[in-house]
Amino acid sequence: METEAHPGSARFFAALADLVRHGEIVVDRPRGRPHPRIPDVVYPLDYGYLAGTTGGDGAGIDVFVGSAAGAGVVGVLLTADLAKRDAEIKVLVDCSPEEVEIARGFVTGVLGIGGHLVRPGEP
């Protein structure tokens, strides 16, 4: 049995796409560079934030940027970090399917925080 996505999901992803389209992505942790507080952890994708926005931690909304130029917002990772005692979203922009999995693996396996992937059109 196939289920349809909730209309709220479509509005959510349309709003995110609008924020990305009309905002500036600031990459402050380029692919291949170490984490600022954990030098053994290296970012597999460009990582940064959307300038002029506010995420769950009070800073800009977090963004992973891949190499699939023009793909736009392809999903979000919903994260829960017990050490920081916070929950956030990390927007996946211009990520190929492989890069989506790389981002998910980085968040859950390398950083060791809870991460749930949600893609546009999913119920």
Side-chain angles (χ1 to χ4, degrees):
M1 177 169 129
E2 196 170 311
T3 59
E4 290 185 28
H6 188 279
S9 176
R11 286 192 299 272
F12 173 76
F13 279 101
L16 281 180
D18 195 55
L19 285 172
V20 169
R21 189 172 32 259
H22 298 293
E24 175 191 1
I25 295 176
V26 177
V27 174
D28 58 357
R29 299 175 190 180
R31 175 188 315 239
R33 302 295 296 275
H35 188 286
R37 293 182 307 278
I38 313 168
D40 292 340
V41 171
V42 175
Y43 280 85
L45 299 171
D46 287 341
Y47 181 79
Y49 61 94
L50 278 171
T53 63
T54 305
D57 61 358
I61 296 171
D62 295 330
V63 179
F64 278 103
V65 182
S67 61
V73 175
V74 298
V76 295
L77 287 168
L78 308 175
T79 64
D81 186 334
L82 294 175
K84 289 173 41 181
R85 299 196 50 78
D86 76 358
E88 300 180 25
I89 66 168
K90 300 184 184 307
V91 183
L92 304 171
V93 178
D94 291 345
C95 291
S96 68
E98 295 80 18
E99 289 169 330
V100 168
E101 291 307 317
I102 288 169
R104 182 189 347 213
F106 179 72
V107 166
T108 60
V110 177
L111 295 180
I113 60 178
H116 176 70
L117 174 64
V118 180
R119 299 175 200 254
E122 289 184 346

